[in-house]
Amino acid sequence: MSNTMTKTIACPECGSENEIKVYKTVNATTDPDFREQLLNGELLHFRCEHCGYQAELKYPLLYSDIKNKFMVYYIPEIDRDKLTDEALEKEYGELEDITRRLASNFNELKEKIHVFESGLDDRVIEVVKAALRDVVEKRTGETVTGGYFSKYSVDEDRIGFTFFVGDGNEQFVQTTRLEIYEKSSAVAKAFDDQQSDRSFKTIDRNWARNAIYRYRKNK
Ligand SMILES: [Zn+2]
């Protein structure tokens, strides 16, 4: 079950008090509606009932999907110091054979959910993303500022990402054959092959760059 509580917070705009629902955990298996509301932004949306001010709520939230065997611990940058909830970790710490990840912003959280729901390995995804990011920079001659997993089709034999390019953050979709994903698996797994570890890990661009660097060096 998902775990929620009610909290009173002051509106950052007008200072009035608002009662909000805080979701400490979201369980996608037992509460698919919460999953939906999280992904469409509703769950972490704040609207002041006094002045109408709107903002994205930022607080730690543990997302779990036991069916797809993964958990993502969303800890917004802003809350890094407060960090983790020990009671929560204990409660979920006993579960075996579960991939545990950290996400430091909402987009990262959403991307992890999409990757794991697609049955893919996020370590391999990050390696492919890092390689395609270089391809996009070469093709456009511009700097890529970010990107996320956006396509996976076995029928079309494509896996792909939407990148943000240049000062205007224009979207650029780059796809590749699934064979590249299979090949990148060796790069990711040579760097980290222990999924048994029960700590929550950050698997991001830096991680992928290190994996690629290590792989090339050892070849
Ligand atoms: Zn307000």
Side-chain angles (χ1 to χ4, degrees), residues 11 13-14 48 50-51 53:
C11 168
E13 185 68 17
C14 72
C48 176
H50 305 281
C51 74
Y53 175 79

Side-chain angles (χ1 to χ4, degrees), residues 192-206:
D192 162 36
D193 198 22
Q194 25 99 14
Q195 285 283 58
S196 55
D197 189 338
R198 289 189 188 174
S199 60
F200 286 85
K201 279 189 199 163
T202 298
I203 300 293
D204 59 4
R205 182 168 174 241
N206 272 335

Side-chain angles (χ1 to χ4, degrees), residues 142-182:
E142 302 224 47
T143 308
V144 169
T145 55
Y148 63 92
F149 168 67
S150 60
K151 184 175 179 82
Y152 176 56
S153 167
V154 175
D155 291 345
E156 295 170 45
D157 187 24
R158 291 327 269 177
I159 189 158
F161 302 82
T162 301
F163 291 100
F164 301 107
V165 176
D167 294 336
N169 280 328
E170 272 182 63
Q171 292 193 13
F172 190 102
V173 176
Q174 179 70 50
T175 66
T176 188
R177 281 170 293 123
L178 295 182
E179 186 196 326
I180 302 299
Y181 174 86
E182 302 302 335

Side-chain angles (χ1 to χ4, degrees), residues 55-103:
E56 183 191 318
L57 290 167
K58 291 191 166 118
Y59 58 78
L61 178 157
L62 181 65
Y63 182 92
S64 69
D65 181 336
I66 304 307
K67 200 178 118 233
N68 288 307
K69 297 189 171 181
F70 73 93
M71 286 195 255
V72 184
Y73 206 162
Y74 170 48
I75 303 173
E77 217 55 85
I78 200 168
D79 257 335
R80 272 287 144 117
D81 297 338
K82 290 188 216 157
L83 219 62
T84 51
D85 184 328
E86 271 178 38
L88 210 61
E89 281 184 12
K90 237 182 216 154
E91 189 182 333
Y92 284 86
E94 302 305 314
L95 296 169
E96 283 183 44
D97 195 20
I98 294 276
T99 302
R100 292 167 165 82
R101 295 293 183 249
L102 284 172

Side-chain angles (χ1 to χ4, degrees), residues 6-123:
T6 307
K7 232 182 166 174
T8 305
I9 63 162
C11 168
E13 185 68 17
C14 72
S16 305
E17 292 197 333
N18 284 261
E19 272 203 348
I20 60 159
K21 221 174 176 185
V22 171
Y23 297 77
K24 287 179 82 171
T25 62
V26 167
N27 184 326
T29 316
T30 56
D31 302 299
D33 288 352
F34 286 169
R35 171 198 167 274
E36 193 57 41
Q37 287 171 29
L38 177 73
L39 289 174
N40 69 25
E42 219 176 293
L43 202 113
L44 294 175
H45 185 77
F46 169 77
R47 187 179 181 283
C48 176
E49 55 192 43
H50 305 281
C51 74
Y53 175 79
Q54 302 188 49
E56 183 191 318
L57 290 167
K58 291 191 166 118
Y59 58 78
L61 178 157
L62 181 65
Y63 182 92
S64 69
D65 181 336
I66 304 307
K67 200 178 118 233
N68 288 307
K69 297 189 171 181
F70 73 93
M71 286 195 255
V72 184
Y73 206 162
Y74 170 48
I75 303 173
E77 217 55 85
I78 200 168
D79 257 335
R80 272 287 144 117
D81 297 338
K82 290 188 216 157
L83 219 62
T84 51
D85 184 328
E86 271 178 38
L88 210 61
E89 281 184 12
K90 237 182 216 154
E91 189 182 333
Y92 284 86
E94 302 305 314
L95 296 169
E96 283 183 44
D97 195 20
I98 294 276
T99 302
R100 292 167 165 82
R101 295 293 183 249
L102 284 172
S104 63
N105 64 59
F106 186 54
N107 287 333
E108 245 176 71
L109 170 67
K110 279 200 291 190
E111 185 181 42
K112 293 290 177 201
I113 294 172
H114 286 139
V115 167
F116 291 129
E117 284 183 350
S118 304
L120 298 167
D121 184 327
D122 66 329
R123 299 169 301 169

